[in-house]
Amino acid sequence: MFLRGARSFAHAASLPEERKGRDVSGAPAQDEPRLQALVRRIQEGDLTAFEQLYALTRADASRTLWHLVGNRVDVEDLLQEAYLRLLTAVKSYRGESRFRTFFYRVCANVALSHLRWKRRRPEDSVWELPETTAEGEDPERAASRRQAARLVELALERLKPKKRIVFVYYELCGMSPDEIAEAVGSSPNTVRSRLHHARLEFNEAMQRLLGASRPGGAHGSP
């Protein structure tokens, strides 16, 4: 139940978009060869290719970092950091994996550093769901969708950084354990273990949040 809610959060917290012909990351499925070609041009010193790479991947990077850190303000700063790191890291990319996996490794490293910093400064944590409504969507339904997304994000905040990244990449980005392992620099078994515990902790957090959101608190109306 709650994991299905987590998957729907990927849509609730993002701008409405056409999904046909796209992979689970939100990027057009046919873009991988194009991205690979741009990487080769960047490695040859063509900075205009990096501008094109940025244009093709920015929306996906913004959505992914949003899921990982849950703060619209932070995302804008982290985007800049991610692309500065990518500009350096792309020189070592040799095409052994999909560019998306390589790119998500950069996003994971940026998000992990930020989440660790934020856990040391909880007073600075500001949760702000972007106000988005699909065209023609009923306002009451839109409000319920935003509330559900908020609950999911609050549950995600209960997870430790490494578990949160694995959970988001698997449940919201649709990556396989092997792909996640490559992106986060770990083993598939470690990823599966983190994912298992993250699911348990996420479901427990959602149960508590849903109980607290009902009239009368966790025990319902008196």
Side-chain angles (χ1 to χ4, degrees), residues 22 50 57 67 75 94 132 139 141 169 179 187 195 197 216:
R22 293 173 180 264
F50 189 78
T57 59
H67 292 328
V75 165
R94 295 292 178 265
T132 61
R141 182 177 180 182
Y169 277 174
E179 194 176 13
S187 70
L195 179 60
H197 291 291

Side-chain angles (χ1 to χ4, degrees), residues 3 8-9 12 38 40 55 80 97 118 120 135 142 149 154 164 166 174 178 182 197 218 221:
L3 294 182
S8 67
F9 168 66
L38 288 172
R40 289 192 291 272
Q80 294 184 42
S97 63
K118 191 164 70 170
R120 293 194 297 267
E135 184 177 353
L154 289 173
R164 177 169 179 163
V166 167
D178 287 347
E182 192 169 355
H197 291 291
S221 301

Side-chain angles (χ1 to χ4, degrees), residues 27-83:
Q30 66 270 24
D31 272 355
E32 182 67 21
R34 185 178 179 186
L35 293 173
Q36 297 268 2
L38 288 172
V39 167
R40 289 192 291 272
R41 287 172 52 193
I42 295 168
Q43 291 172 336
E44 294 168 358
D46 184 354
L47 291 183
T48 62
F50 189 78
E51 295 175 2
Q52 296 176 50
L53 182 74
Y54 174 83
L56 280 173
T57 59
R58 186 191 185 284
D60 186 24
S62 178
R63 179 171 48 249
T64 300
L65 287 168
W66 162 256
H67 292 328
L68 292 177
V69 305
N71 189 314
R72 176 67 69 181
V73 176
D74 290 340
V75 165
E76 294 305 315
D77 293 334
L78 295 180
L79 269 174
Q80 294 184 42
E81 183 179 349
Y83 279 99

Side-chain angles (χ1 to χ4, degrees), residues 132-154:
T132 61
T133 303
E135 184 177 353
E137 184 177 14
D138 177 72
E140 184 175 347
R141 182 177 180 182
S144 297
R145 178 173 57 83
R146 287 194 294 269
Q147 182 182 16
R150 176 176 173 79
L151 289 174
V152 170
E153 180 58 32
L154 289 173

